[in-house]
């Protein structure tokens, strides 16, 4: 064979061309696998970005928190702690103020667009510690009788839920004569006024706790989200029926649909079993139990790790929900995922007693120093000692004899001005002039002249957290207490014993929010409900 002909090789030795071809195929396969992985990663990232942008672009955003000054920071609080106020509006309209379809009203079992209003019927403060320790959700009963920040619509005292609606109405009248705003723009400005008033009122009520973010939902938003995640498992301690809300539940665990879920969280009466003696506080516990059950089920189904399941929730959540501009939804979703494992405890704040306000409406009267001490205790890091109460006013000692206090009785109840003067004289104040006002005042107030701000603030704190106001009609250093129809003399004042308001009260002791049988904690008890399961409630 010539030198130019093919050469013989061993039978097992592949040719250089064959080896090169196989290496090429391996590299091609490797590149394909890497390419597919990269494509998958990019697709997932792109999907997440798309969903985030889609949700961010669709949801209502508000800059209202930027105009609210944060005053106090909880004692011992660490950087990274987050407080989120959840406001549930009693509106039967969508986020833009439009009426809903008839089939939605039928499912809501709550009337139509003529019912409800813009009261914040659900108020929950979610405190998420920055160190990852257990979170705390604090429910504020909607009828707590409090000082309304900024006196919206001229109302300085009212149910805490009313701050939103009053400010909304006030802003609506202010904008009535303005042009250049379409209906949606006007609606959002009105709602921003309501949000600001409600947020400031809640912060003030809870001793100046800063509100970092807010989430606002409506009845229809709740219903639509419940439709996506139904059926939902709940548990009640006894058979109960309420034709007003549409509630009809049997004792024990049961699975309910979206319409029944709305009835579950709205029920506050039973027209068939009056012995159950429902109150608004039971509804607060129902709402907490529902959230805890829902979170538990989402965790069990691994929903937060499934972008496709989250898509459906996001799509309905953004339709009738509003949040502040600074809330990062990706971070919030991560926090929500952590909280679904039971890493949160729910509390309902206690009230002192039920009663009526000067207009004859049913309200909850509260022990303000006790409320504020309890909230500060609940929000304190678990490893630290219970912090001292911080009130909206400085708590410097009130013992200077040169501080003269006048009292004007504008309550319509004889003798209160003189009684207050005598009580204050036992606490280091000099008695001033006791007189009767020319007209009734609904709100008690501590007025002061130039240079008396600190003394007035301390006196206001001793009297249970009254609002203060500088008066140009008073001489420098003067203080005057206007006794309104809302005034209650702190316990112990009449006898000269130290007032519970003058010293740090012990925080309310929590009791279980879900009792056996049909029982429930008394209104004066701080009720606690643990997350991480299905809780049975009344």
């Amino acid at each position: 064979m010539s030198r130019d002909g093919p050469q013989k090789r061993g039978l097992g030795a592949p040719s250089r061309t064959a080896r090169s071809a196989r290496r090429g195929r391996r590299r091609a396969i490797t590149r394909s696998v890497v390419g597919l992985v990269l494509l998958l990663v990019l697709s997932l990232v792109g999907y997440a970005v798309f969903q985030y942008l889609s949700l961010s672009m669709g949801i209502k955003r508000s800059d209202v928190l930027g105009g609210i000054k944060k005053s106090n920071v909880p004692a011992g609080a660490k950087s990274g702690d987050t407080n989120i106020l959840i406001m549930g509006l009693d509106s039967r309209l969508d986020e833009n103020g439009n009426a809903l379809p008839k089939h939605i009203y039928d499912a809501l079992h709550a009337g139509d667009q003529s019912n409800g209003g813009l009261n914040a019927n659900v108020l929950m403060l979610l405190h998420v510690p920055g160190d990852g320790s257990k979170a705390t959700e604090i429910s504020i009963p909607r009828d707590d009788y409090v000082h309304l920040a900024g006196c919206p619509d001229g109302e300085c005292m009212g149910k805490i839920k009313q701050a939103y609606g009053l400010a909304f109405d006030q802003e609506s009248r202010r904008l009535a004569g303005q042009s250049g705003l379409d209906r949606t723009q006007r609606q959002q400005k009105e709602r921003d006024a309501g949000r600001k008033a409600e947020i400031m009122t809640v912060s003030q009520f809870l001793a100046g706790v800063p509100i970092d973010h807010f989430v606002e939902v409506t009845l229809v938003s709740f219903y639509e989200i419940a439709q996506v995640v139904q059926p939902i498992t709940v548990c009640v301690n006894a058979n109960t029926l309420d034709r007003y809300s549409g509630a009809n539940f049997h004792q024990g665990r049961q699975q309910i649909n979206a319409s029944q879920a709305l009835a579950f969280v709205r029920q506050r009466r039973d027209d068939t079993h009056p012995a159950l003696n429902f109150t608004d506080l039971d509804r607060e516990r129902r709402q907490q139990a529902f959230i805890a059950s829902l979170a538990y089920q989402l965790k069990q189904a691994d929903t937060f790790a499934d972008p496709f399941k989250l898509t459906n929730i996001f799509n309905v959540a953004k339709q009738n929900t509003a949040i502040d501009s600074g809330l990062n939804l990706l971070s919030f979703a991560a926090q929500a995922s952590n909280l679904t494992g039971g890493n949160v405890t729910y509390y309902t704040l206690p009230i002192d007693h039920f009663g009526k306000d000067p207009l004859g409406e049913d309200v909850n009267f509260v022990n303000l120093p006790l409320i504020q001490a309890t909230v500060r205790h609940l929000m304190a890091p678990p490893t630290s000692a219970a912090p001292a109460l911080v009130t909206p006013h400085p708590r410097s000692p009130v013992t200077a004899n040169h501080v003269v206090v006048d009292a004007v009785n504008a309550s319509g109840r004889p003798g209160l001005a003189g009684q207050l003067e005598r009580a204050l004289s036992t606490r280091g104040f000099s008695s001033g002039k006791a007189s009767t006002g020319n007209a009734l005042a609904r709100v008690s107030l501590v007025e002061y002249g130039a240079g008396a701000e600190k003394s007035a603030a301390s006196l206001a704190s001793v009297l249970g957290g009254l609002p203060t106001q500088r008066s140009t009609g008073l001489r420098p250093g003067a203080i005057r207490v206007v006794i309104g129809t809302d005034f209650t003399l702190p316990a112990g004042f009449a006898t000269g014993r130290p007032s519970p308001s003058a010293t740090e009260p012990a925080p309310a002791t929590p009791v279980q929010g879900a009792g056996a049988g049909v029982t429930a904690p008394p209104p004066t008890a701080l009720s606690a409900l643990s997350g991480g399961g299905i809780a049975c409630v009344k």
Side-chain angles (χ1 to χ4, degrees):
M1 183 177 291
S2 67
R3 287 181 299 177
D4 296 330
Q7 298 180 6
K8 292 183 178 180
R9 298 181 180 275
L11 293 176
S15 69
R16 183 178 302 167
T17 301
R19 289 198 302 270
S20 178
R22 281 197 292 270
R23 282 196 299 269
R25 284 195 297 272
R26 283 196 298 269
R27 284 195 296 268
I29 293 172
T30 301
R31 284 194 298 268
S32 298
V33 172
V34 171
L36 286 172
V37 171
L38 287 175
L39 180 61
L40 178 60
V41 170
L42 289 173
S43 297
L44 291 175
V45 171
Y47 177 80
V49 171
F50 170 78
Q51 289 298 335
Y52 177 72
L53 291 176
S54 174
L55 178 60
S56 297
M57 292 171 60
I59 201 167
K60 295 290 183 184
R61 291 275 191 172
S62 169
D63 296 322
V64 69
L65 283 177
I68 299 177
K69 181 180 179 181
K70 296 179 182 179
S71 53
N72 297 331
V73 176
K78 298 179 180 179
S79 175
D81 286 6
T82 303
N83 296 324
I84 303 172
L85 180 63
I86 301 168
M87 297 182 287
L89 302 185
D90 193 30
S91 173
R92 273 65 163 174
L93 304 172
D94 68 13
E95 189 62 32
N96 293 319
N98 301 315
L100 303 170
K102 184 180 183 303
H103 74 274
I104 294 290
Y105 288 125
D106 292 341
L108 293 180
H109 200 86
D112 57 21
Q113 62 267 32
S114 64
N115 298 99
L118 285 172
N119 287 330
N121 271 7
V122 176
L123 290 168
M124 296 179 173
L125 182 70
L126 178 63
H127 174 68
V128 183
D131 61 5
S133 57
K134 201 163 191 175
T136 300
E137 183 274 322
I138 302 172
S139 287
I140 306 168
R142 63 175 187 166
D143 289 340
D144 283 0
Y145 193 60
V146 305
H147 175 68
L148 305 178
C151 298
D153 223 6
E155 301 289 338
C156 295
M157 292 293 296
K159 301 177 183 181
I160 195 167
K161 69 178 183 181
Q162 294 174 328
Y164 194 114
L166 290 170
F168 180 97
D169 290 341
Q170 178 177 282
E171 183 69 0
S172 180
R173 289 197 304 274
R174 189 185 74 82
L175 295 174
Q178 294 187 13
S179 59
L181 296 175
D182 62 29
R183 188 173 185 275
T184 299
Q185 291 171 325
R186 186 183 299 272
Q187 172 81 191
Q188 290 310 306
K189 284 185 175 293
E190 293 164 345
R191 291 208 176 199
D192 271 350
R195 292 159 185 155
K196 182 176 182 180
E198 193 65 57
I199 290 167
M200 292 179 64
T201 296
V202 169
S203 178
Q204 174 182 275
F205 179 58
L206 302 182
V209 168
I211 307 297
D212 301 300
H213 302 291
F214 78 82
V215 176
E216 174 188 296
V217 298
T218 61
L219 280 179
V220 64
S221 175
F222 176 90
Y223 170 74
E224 289 174 335
I225 293 173
Q227 276 189 308
V228 176
V229 298
Q230 65 183 351
I232 303 122
T233 302
V234 297
C235 181
V236 295
N237 289 322
N239 296 335
T240 179
L241 178 66
D242 172 26
R243 295 183 179 87
Y244 178 81
S245 66
N248 186 3
F249 304 110
H250 60 78
Q251 183 179 12
R253 288 195 180 192
Q254 58 219 279
Q255 288 192 322
I256 60 177
N257 60 29
S259 183
Q260 292 171 314
L262 189 62
F264 181 84
V265 300
R266 291 184 64 240
Q267 183 179 1
R268 59 188 176 96
R269 56 171 63 86
D270 187 316
D271 47 18
T272 305
H273 309 92
L276 290 179
N277 192 27
F278 273 92
T279 71
D280 252 0
L281 302 185
D282 295 307
R283 181 160 72 169
E284 302 283 345
R285 298 179 185 107
R286 282 283 190 93
Q287 293 164 357
Q288 294 171 341
F290 179 85
I291 293 174
S293 295
L294 180 59
Y296 175 75
Q297 290 173 234
L298 292 176
K299 183 71 173 180
Q300 293 297 102
D302 209 19
T303 302
F304 287 95
D306 188 333
F308 298 101
K309 291 180 181 178
L310 284 177
T311 299
N312 291 332
I313 298 177
F314 284 167
N315 285 339
V316 298
K318 67 185 180 184
Q319 295 174 19
N320 290 290
T321 302
I323 61 176
D324 64 279
S325 299
L327 181 58
N328 185 306
L329 293 172
L330 292 179
S331 298
F332 182 64
Q335 286 179 322
S337 177
N338 292 334
L339 298 178
T340 57
N343 196 30
V344 59
T345 302
Y346 303 85
Y347 294 92
T348 300
L349 291 179
I351 69 168
D352 188 75
H353 63 280
F354 297 116
K356 294 185 180 296
D357 67 4
L359 297 178
E361 295 185 352
D362 293 328
V363 296
N364 306 329
F365 289 102
V366 299
N367 182 332
L368 184 61
L370 176 64
I371 291 290
Q372 294 177 343
T374 300
V375 170
R376 304 295 291 190
H377 179 74
L378 293 177
M379 295 176 63
T383 55
S384 67
L389 171 64
V390 179
T391 68
H393 303 296
R395 295 188 61 87
S396 56
V398 189
T399 58
N401 290 326
H402 69 277
V403 178
V404 179
V405 180
D406 294 333
V408 178
N409 187 1
S411 69
R413 291 173 286 165
L416 273 185
Q419 187 180 5
L420 179 61
E421 289 284 352
R422 291 189 296 273
L424 289 176
S425 67
T426 67
R427 284 161 172 76
F429 293 94
S430 296
S431 297
K433 179 183 178 182
S435 62
T436 301
N438 295 326
L440 292 180
R442 290 184 58 194
V443 181
S444 300
L445 180 68
V446 178
E447 299 177 318
Y448 61 91
E453 181 177 2
K454 289 186 177 180
S455 296
S458 297
L459 173 60
S461 179
V462 167
L463 293 177
L466 297 184
T468 63
Q469 176 179 297
R470 181 170 178 174
S471 174
T472 57
L474 293 179
R475 67 184 184 282
I479 295 178
R480 178 170 61 201
V481 179
V482 178
I483 302 173
T485 56
D486 65 324
F487 183 76
T488 301
L489 194 66
F493 260 54
T495 61
R497 293 192 299 271
S499 167
S501 301
T503 58
E504 166 72 8
T509 302
V511 298
Q512 288 300 315
V518 297
T519 61
T524 52
L526 173 68
S527 65
L529 188 148
S530 297
I534 311 296
C536 281
V537 291
K538 190 166 78 174

